Amino acid sequence: MTKLKTALLTTTLVASSVMASNAVLAHKTDRDVTKLAPTSKAWSYVKATTIYLYPQTTIRFNDKRANELNENPHAKEARVKAIYNGRSIAFLLEWPDGTKSIQKGCKSDVYGDGFAVQLPVNYKDASKLPYIGMGSDGRPVVIHLQKAAQPIYEPNGNGDVGMQQGTLNKNKFGKEVEKFNKEVSILAVTDYQRSFISEGFRSMTEIKDGSEKFSADMAYGNNGWKGKVARPLKDDYLKLNGAFPVAFATWDGERLQRDGLKYLSNWIPVKLVGQNGGGKLVEDLTKPVKGDVENGKNLVQQNGCTGCHYIPGLSQPSAMAPGLANIGGYSTAAYLKESIVEPNAVVVPGYNRNAHPNTPWYNVVDGKRVSTMPPYPLDDKSLNDMVAYLKTLKAEVK
């Protein structure tokens, strides 16, 4: 048995004895986790945690064909593994996808499969985590994005225009063509990976100064993808220790998914095995919601929620407020409570441009988005009942 396998099996047993939860257990190793490929054998020794990815339906996309392809989609079951050393942590996400879609630079209507890992900058208080969709005002997130894309030759930044021409435009034949194509392939941008800092829709800013030393890769096989992201435990943006939340997103290019049209997980706690702290965060993010679901459904109707929000079985699709079809899948109970009693705390800024101008779900006051939803100061029981019902709003897992 290898030293790595022994260490991982030992930490699995220790972690299981002290923390029986749905947290992702990040196992400790001495090896360089940044060099692990998605298909590395080392991953087979790491305990996997099952998570669920739900269709992001808060915002209605402005693409008729894409909306048709994503009408009433099922949720997806995925698996997450994590491993870390004293400097870096690596995540492996495995998710089903029956088609391999590659983004092509020569076409504007072809989209690639992809995935993202999202981490909150501040996470000590589980009740004040950022909005799951790219963060929220005053609550930033770091996002690592990887897409399946074909090599891109232009621009390559070297100014060698001659290498950006096709072989038909070159006076070359036989071995000369082979040599030319080989030189072009060396210059090509063969990977599509980006890091962003974000505080909500339309605020994503790519980090281009090299301060985010992350790596990512994807591998397709057996009707599914394996995606790996590795990054430092500590840098200018994040300080990851003890336990912290992480969220995952995937895109299916065959369904024309991109931007906000995607599959999305909830905030999932990651426990660094061997480090102290973080127990309360894990407990807060994994404890079951307690409440009277049926009474919560009645309260949702009595308080007029269905007048603005789309809730399956209770109201029709609407652009007057964020849709709640899958809100129970990718929202924490704390976020739902905060949204009811303090709507201005997090205002989802992806307002649908097709909505009637007299019915916006937020206004902009002094540069800040202010929700048009009034606060509902409910008693604890009523609030818990409503949240218990809202947590049931999620697509069936297939």
Side-chain angles (χ1 to χ4, degrees):
M1 183 178 292
T2 67
K3 182 184 295 185
L4 173 64
K5 183 175 181 180
T6 302
L8 293 180
L9 290 178
T10 301
T11 53
T12 298
L13 292 173
V14 172
S16 297
S17 65
V18 300
M19 184 178 297
S21 70
N22 294 324
V24 174
L25 301 178
H27 305 279
K28 185 88 178 278
T29 181
D30 293 330
R31 71 181 299 163
D32 186 352
V33 299
T34 64
K35 295 182 178 180
L36 289 177
T39 55
S40 292
K41 186 178 179 181
W43 290 113
S44 64
Y45 304 130
V46 181
K47 177 179 173 60
T49 298
T50 298
I51 68 169
Y52 301 100
L53 303 166
Y54 293 92
Q56 200 288 111
T57 49
T58 305
I59 309 300
R60 181 75 172 172
F61 216 62
N62 286 287
D63 183 325
K64 181 180 179 182
R65 178 58 178 158
N67 287 336
E68 291 173 348
L69 290 173
N70 292 277
E71 197 69 34
N72 300 317
H74 290 87
K76 291 186 176 183
E77 181 177 300
R79 296 178 358 128
V80 177
K81 297 181 179 182
I83 186 173
Y84 81 105
N85 55 26
R87 303 171 303 281
S88 304
I89 185 167
F91 296 97
L92 181 72
L93 178 67
E94 303 174 86
W95 73 97
D97 190 334
T99 55
K100 181 181 180 181
S101 302
I102 307 296
Q103 182 169 305
K104 296 179 172 59
C106 59
K107 295 186 177 182
S108 61
D109 60 347
V110 175
Y111 302 95
D113 298 330
F115 78 105
V117 176
Q118 178 176 260
L119 296 150
V121 173
N122 302 307
Y123 56 85
K124 297 304 180 184
D125 186 351
S127 67
K128 299 292 183 181
L129 291 177
Y131 175 62
I132 197 68
M134 296 182 284
S136 45
D137 188 25
R139 302 179 189 182
V141 295
V142 170
I143 300 172
H144 300 305
L145 170 66
Q146 171 76 36
K147 285 186 179 180
Q150 70 175 182
I152 301 172
Y153 303 105
E154 183 182 4
N156 57 31
N158 299 320
D160 45 6
V161 179
M163 302 301 291
Q164 297 168 7
Q165 297 179 2
T167 54
L168 295 178
N169 294 327
K170 307 295 290 185
N171 188 25
K172 296 181 181 295
F173 303 93
K175 295 293 184 181
E176 292 178 329
V177 172
E178 291 181 12
K179 181 181 177 182
F180 175 78
N181 288 336
K182 183 177 180 179
E183 292 173 347
V184 170
S185 67
I186 293 174
L187 290 171
V189 178
T190 58
D191 199 7
Y192 186 106
Q193 54 181 270
R194 307 281 190 272
S195 277
F196 301 89
I197 187 76
S198 178
E199 292 188 25
F201 290 95
R202 299 194 299 272
S203 74
M204 287 184 64
T205 303
E206 186 177 352
I207 303 172
K208 296 183 177 181
D209 61 0
S211 59
E212 279 296 283
K213 306 293 185 182
F214 91 105
S215 62
D217 198 6
M218 296 172 64
Y220 187 80
N222 298 320
N223 292 317
W225 283 99
K226 292 183 178 182
K228 184 220 78 173
V229 162
R231 57 151 294 117
L233 286 168
K234 297 180 180 181
D235 61 16
D236 293 344
Y237 294 94
L238 298 174
K239 302 291 185 292
L240 306 177
N241 53 67
F244 56 88
V246 66
F248 300 90
T250 65
W251 289 264
D252 186 345
E254 183 74 8
R255 292 175 176 267
L256 304 185
Q257 292 185 354
R258 73 274 193 193
D259 301 327
L261 187 60
K262 59 193 173 189
Y263 292 92
L264 189 61
S265 79
N266 201 335
W267 285 117
I268 302 161
V270 178
K271 175 60 182 173
L272 298 179
V273 177
Q275 289 195 11
N276 296 324
K280 186 176 186 308
L281 178 78
V282 173
E283 180 183 0
D284 288 344
L285 290 177
T286 57
K287 62 184 178 184
V289 177
K290 296 181 179 180
D292 186 331
V293 172
E294 192 60 34
N295 185 50
K297 181 178 180 180
N298 293 333
L299 289 170
V300 163
Q301 294 174 288
Q302 293 169 12
N303 283 282
C305 303
T306 55
C308 297
H309 295 280
Y310 167 54
I311 300 177
L314 297 183
S315 58
Q316 295 299 314
S318 169
M320 291 178 63
L324 303 183
N326 284 286
I327 199 70
Y330 46 69
S331 292
T332 64
Y335 169 77
L336 293 172
K337 287 182 179 181
E338 183 180 58
S339 298
I340 294 170
V341 301
E342 193 180 351
N344 284 330
V346 177
V347 180
V348 179
Y351 183 65
N352 191 318
R353 70 188 70 174
N354 294 329
H356 194 285
N358 291 335
T359 57
W361 70 56
Y362 67 85
N363 294 306
V364 179
V365 179
D366 296 330
K368 294 285 187 178
R369 296 183 179 91
V370 179
S371 176
T372 55
M373 173 180 163
Y376 288 84
L378 303 172
D379 61 84
D380 289 343
K381 181 182 184 308
S382 297
L383 185 59
N384 288 333
D385 290 350
M386 285 185 70
V387 170
Y389 169 68
L390 292 173
K391 286 293 291 180
T392 69
L393 300 180
K394 49 191 173 184
E396 179 185 359
V397 177
K398 183 176 182 181

